Amino acid sequence: MTDSDRLHRAYGLDEELRDLACEVNRAAAWSYRLSDGELRWSTGMDELLEVGDGGEDELRGRLRELIAPLLHSAETLQAPGSQSLEEPFSTSSGELRAIFLRCRTAFDRGDRCLVGIAVDVASPLNEDRLDTDIADRYRRLVEMNPDAVCVHQDGTTVYVNPAGVRMMRATSPDEIVGHPITEFVAKHAQAELFSRLSVANDPGTTTEPAEAEMIRVDGSRMLVESVAVRTSWHGRPAFQVILRDVTAQRAADAALRYQAALVEHVNNAIIATTWHGVVTSWNPAAEMIYGFSADQARGRPTSDLVGADINPAALLAVGGTTEAKHRHADGSPVMVRISAAEMSNGYVLVCADETARRTAEKRYATVVSLLDEGVLIIDSNGRIVMANPAATAILGTAEDDLVGTDPQSWVAFDEEDNRLPQAPSLQTRFTGEPENRRVARFVRPDGTSAWLAISARSLTPDDSPPHRTMVSFTDITEPRAFRKQLEREATHDPLTGLANRTMVLRRLQNAMREHDRTTPTGVMFIDLDKFKIINDSLGHVVGDEVLRVAGERLRSVMDSDEHVGRHGGDEFVVLVHDEEDPARLHALADRIRRRLTEPIMVEGRHLHVDASIGIVLVPPDDSRTAEDVLRDADVAMYEAKTRGRGRVAFFDVQLRERLQRFLELEQDLRSAVENGELWLAYQPIVNLHANRVSGVEALLRWTHPVHGTVSPEEFIPMAEESDLIHHIGAWALSTAVEEIARFRTRYDLDLQVKANLSVRQLEDPALPESVDEALRKTGLSAKSLSLEITESALMHDPATATRMLQELRRYGVQLAIDDFGTGYSSLAQLLRLPLDSLKIDRSFIVGIAHSHDAAALVNSIMAMAHAVDLAVIAEGVETAEQLEVLRRSGCDQAQGYYMSRPVPVGDLAEAIERADRRTRRE
């Protein structure tokens, strides 16, 4: 394997370079690894460099010396791409030759390398080729030239020296070379540029220096002075251009012209003098202020012209500025403000005419003294020089004690009761920016405080800082206290002193909007159980005291007013920040409940309340509003109440969906009767002694237009919680009586219809009349109607239930107790009620066919019922075995899916026939 092959395998020599090396006579390839300095070369390098007998070490040394500039550029990252170089060298025989080197950056297994070729480009150098050496030196001179030098040919840049790269703010010559020169010359300057170049036709012809606006690589612009020389580049005509940035110089020239114009046109007198006070310059403003022309003033002492002695050196010693009274040429007084500065050959005085201002100040002082608003004038040194009577009255100090003081010495606080680090006027004095109604609390010398609304304005806004400043302020102590009281009343509950609903929402919204919040915020919605009973029975005074104590107890548990609020009525809200553990939140809720359930002593009574608490966790990225969160917490609280009150429930999405469904159904239930969505299903009841159907139970059903069939277990409680149960119950009763009356007539059947009454209907005094009207309207006999009341309804309010049942008995209707065994009543209690039958709950029927204990319990109930002349009905019969056990036990009637499911009145005849058939078969 040759060296060239090894070189190619080791460094992946660029294909272009290898091809070039093969095509050019006396050429060889080389490589250099930057990490460890390993230098390699291909066959023919020794002949190319004419090393002779020096061997490999001499060849390595000579090659390394020749490529040293390329290595420097690569190591300093000045040439990240390819680069080339032509270098002279001496052979071993002393002959002077030149070699062309070209390379590019490559990588070998992660190591950065230079890979290149070396080509013999010239015959031996001798005295006849000194011009080449001179050209090389000229090239080096151009490279080191501090002025920008570039060469363009046929409108394209072909060379730029390092100074040009820097001036154009480029990172490498590649950002300039190869680009059209019009890319770097402003459009308005291009015509003049090409016009000047068009006359430089002969080699060596130089254009006149001219200015042009150039565009740098980064887009910024600069003004340059350029000279172009007609030259050649690689044997073809070209232009070499020398560029010099004159932007700063032209800006300085413009500044001088501006300053000269300013001196001529300003309103202030500008007077230049010698060291001895003789006038050397007198601008037009000085002519107007003092009445002497410039010709009259130049060469005369300043004191003769202004009517007063001026000592610039003394003025500079005390700050360089003062006010004085001068004289006009006609003898009239002129009030001026004098500033002095030292020059190389004397002084310059700037005299501003203050006559009009001083007159206005006197008038202003008269007006200010009559204001109710406090006014202070602070000079540029930060001292109070004037205070009107209102200021001394508000600040509680005499004018003599106030004038000459620094407002920085005042004791003042902001609205958060933090001491102000600086006087409100300080920013205006040093920046000229106004201060508008800054509120601060000022401590008077006697220790009392006054809340002030402070404003500050610069009296010399056109001058350099520090400024003379006017400070005005009003005493807002009483209005502020009144406003604070109104704000508190608007955001706090007057009874408990806690934040009201508005403030709770604001605090919750602020917590949810914290950008750096990483943990959830817990929201507890608390409702006091049994509070309504206390408030209604003992009065609002007692109720208010219970609420106040509850608020105090919540505040004590949370150790802060900031986390507790009263939402309204007997509802409170607690905010818990930086807590994401539901278990800890539940523990806190239990602690709150225990504290609230402690007895409350009011007017000699020990009162007890409990709390139902709903909890919502609000994660950092929650998109809900504060109102949405409180609504969800309220939903969770309602869920806690439905579980039995005195409980804690966490909110979840399913809970909200259930509530939304509940609210939607509750609203739709109000119009369900009118819309024909409610209807009655009838389940046959068989007489086990006669083995035939003797009655039917009317069961209410609801077919919702959107949700389909809604279970009675879901919508009946909705109706019972509102007055809807009276309207729906009356409709169901009259409909059942009417439909069964028609059915009896049509099929000539002696059927009894059983209708259910809710606990709320037993409280309705109009119920007996509704029953009587339904019977009279249809002609159905009273004994053919049996009204069923659940055992739990009877136990809810036994006295009311007893009175209502006795009233219904007067109309002759049959009465039955439904779901016996679930309401914790006894037969002894039932003996006091005018009942005809007893229906055993289905939960007792399920196991009678397979459980001796269940059968024995049912037998016991039937025996006791028969002993007091109550007929017994078993509901929930689902198998033939259950029916047979009931028949053997002496049960009077039965109903259930085994005989028939509840069906519409149109299918009742078929259902009765099926129930009779099954009963007889058994």
Side-chain angles (χ1 to χ4, degrees), residues 486-494 496-507 561 564-568 571 573 630:
L486 290 179
E487 289 178 354
R488 180 168 182 81
E489 291 177 357
T491 57
H492 286 73
D493 173 45
T496 63
L498 298 174
N500 62 10
R501 183 178 185 277
T502 300
M503 179 58 75
V504 167
L505 286 170
R506 185 182 305 170
R507 288 174 178 172
D561 287 348
V564 183
R566 183 184 176 197
H567 187 260
E571 297 172 338
V573 176
L630 282 188

Side-chain angles (χ1 to χ4, degrees), residues 249-499:
Q249 179 181 342
R250 295 300 176 263
D253 293 343
L256 289 175
R257 291 193 298 272
Y258 170 76
Q259 291 172 5
L262 187 65
V263 169
E264 290 297 315
H265 294 90
V266 295
N267 294 324
N268 295 338
I270 298 179
I271 306 169
T273 71
T274 64
W275 295 112
H276 302 291
V278 177
V279 174
T280 58
S281 177
W282 186 268
N283 73 337
E287 294 180 343
M288 293 293 296
I289 292 173
Y290 293 106
F292 294 102
S293 66
D295 293 337
Q296 292 174 317
R298 277 193 292 268
R300 294 178 59 182
T302 310
S303 57
D304 293 349
L305 300 170
V306 303
D309 290 334
I310 297 179
N311 187 342
L315 183 58
L316 288 169
V318 295
T321 302
T322 188
E323 293 187 357
K325 180 178 181 181
H326 289 179
R327 292 285 177 184
H328 190 270
D330 61 8
S332 60
V334 179
M335 300 303 298
V336 296
R337 186 177 75 254
I338 307 173
S339 298
E342 187 175 332
M343 300 188 303
S344 59
N345 57 351
Y347 300 98
V348 62
L349 304 173
V350 178
C351 303
D353 189 353
E354 299 284 292
T355 305
R357 182 181 66 81
R358 294 296 292 273
T359 301
E361 282 183 355
K362 290 181 180 180
R363 295 173 182 171
Y364 162 79
T366 302
V367 174
V368 167
S369 66
L370 300 175
L371 294 176
D372 292 332
E373 186 177 20
V375 177
L376 302 175
I377 302 299
I378 302 174
D379 66 14
S380 58
N381 296 318
R383 299 291 175 178
I384 298 174
V385 295
M386 190 279 287
N388 73 339
T392 60
I394 293 172
L395 299 178
T397 184
E399 182 178 3
D400 291 342
D401 295 332
L402 198 56
V403 172
T405 62
D406 186 347
Q408 279 292 97
S409 63
W410 294 2
V411 179
F413 301 86
D414 62 18
E415 293 189 273
E416 303 297 328
D417 213 32
N418 300 312
R419 181 157 183 174
L420 294 180
Q422 63 183 35
S425 61
L426 194 65
Q427 178 179 348
T428 302
R429 188 161 67 87
F430 281 103
T431 67
E433 295 295 324
E435 184 77 58
N436 295 312
R437 293 190 65 80
R438 171 78 173 275
V439 175
R441 179 169 65 87
F442 172 77
V443 180
R444 299 186 179 103
D446 63 1
T448 61
S449 294
W451 283 97
L452 308 179
I454 306 170
S455 299
R457 295 288 185 278
S458 170
L459 294 175
T460 56
D462 297 330
D463 294 350
S464 299
H467 298 270
R468 285 170 54 86
T469 306
M470 180 188 76
V471 179
S472 60
F473 50 89
T474 54
D475 187 349
I476 60 169
T477 305
E478 290 186 6
R480 186 179 185 278
F482 181 68
R483 178 174 59 82
K484 286 288 186 182
Q485 180 62 28
L486 290 179
E487 289 178 354
R488 180 168 182 81
E489 291 177 357
T491 57
H492 286 73
D493 173 45
L495 176 62
T496 63
L498 298 174

Side-chain angles (χ1 to χ4, degrees), residues 76-152:
T76 58
L77 300 179
Q78 295 180 9
S82 62
Q83 53 180 321
S84 59
L85 178 69
E86 183 178 331
E87 284 288 313
F89 70 95
S90 297
T91 66
S92 57
S93 61
E95 185 180 35
L96 188 63
R97 302 189 65 83
I99 191 169
F100 175 80
L101 299 166
R102 180 175 177 82
C103 69
R104 60 167 293 180
T105 302
F107 288 87
D108 176 42
R109 293 185 294 276
D111 289 330
R112 189 161 161 260
C113 310
L114 289 183
V115 181
I117 61 171
V119 182
D120 185 7
V121 297
S123 56
L125 297 175
N126 51 39
E127 290 81 358
D128 295 335
R129 295 194 60 193
L130 286 178
D131 55 339
T132 302
D133 183 55
I134 293 173
D136 182 62
R137 295 188 182 190
Y138 174 74
R139 178 180 59 80
R140 295 180 183 274
L141 181 63
V142 170
E143 293 286 324
M144 299 172 59
N145 196 330
D147 288 335
V149 178
C150 72
V151 177
H152 61 85

Side-chain angles (χ1 to χ4, degrees), residues 119-226:
V119 182
D120 185 7
V121 297
S123 56
L125 297 175
N126 51 39
E127 290 81 358
D128 295 335
R129 295 194 60 193
L130 286 178
D131 55 339
T132 302
D133 183 55
I134 293 173
D136 182 62
R137 295 188 182 190
Y138 174 74
R139 178 180 59 80
R140 295 180 183 274
L141 181 63
V142 170
E143 293 286 324
M144 299 172 59
N145 196 330
D147 288 335
V149 178
C150 72
V151 177
H152 61 85
Q153 186 178 64
D154 298 330
T156 300
T157 307
V158 295
Y159 169 80
V160 62
N161 72 338
V165 173
R166 291 191 297 272
M167 186 179 76
M168 294 299 290
R169 295 182 181 173
T171 57
S172 72
D174 292 340
E175 295 183 64
I176 302 172
V177 174
H179 292 254
I181 60 172
T182 54
E183 186 176 321
F184 307 108
V185 181
K187 286 187 177 181
H188 64 82
Q190 291 179 9
E192 183 181 354
L193 169 68
F194 290 116
S195 176
R196 290 192 295 111
L197 295 178
S198 64
V199 300
N201 296 320
D202 300 325
T205 304
T206 303
T207 64
E208 293 294 327
E211 293 183 359
E213 186 177 11
M214 301 286 291
I215 303 173
R216 297 186 180 95
V217 171
D218 62 3
S220 61
R221 298 187 176 231
M222 63 179 173
L223 189 66
V224 300
E225 184 180 75
S226 65

Side-chain angles (χ1 to χ4, degrees), residues 5 28 35 40 121 145 152 165 186 250 298 403 431 481 501 529 554 556 580 589 625 685 813 866 874 884 906 914 919:
D5 293 334
S35 60
R40 294 186 180 184
V121 297
N145 196 330
H152 61 85
V165 173
R250 295 300 176 263
R298 277 193 292 268
V403 172
T431 67
R501 183 178 185 277
D529 297 332
L554 287 173
S556 67
E580 58 184 344
T625 65
I685 301 174
V813 298
H866 288 156
E884 182 60 27
R914 181 170 56 252
T919 305

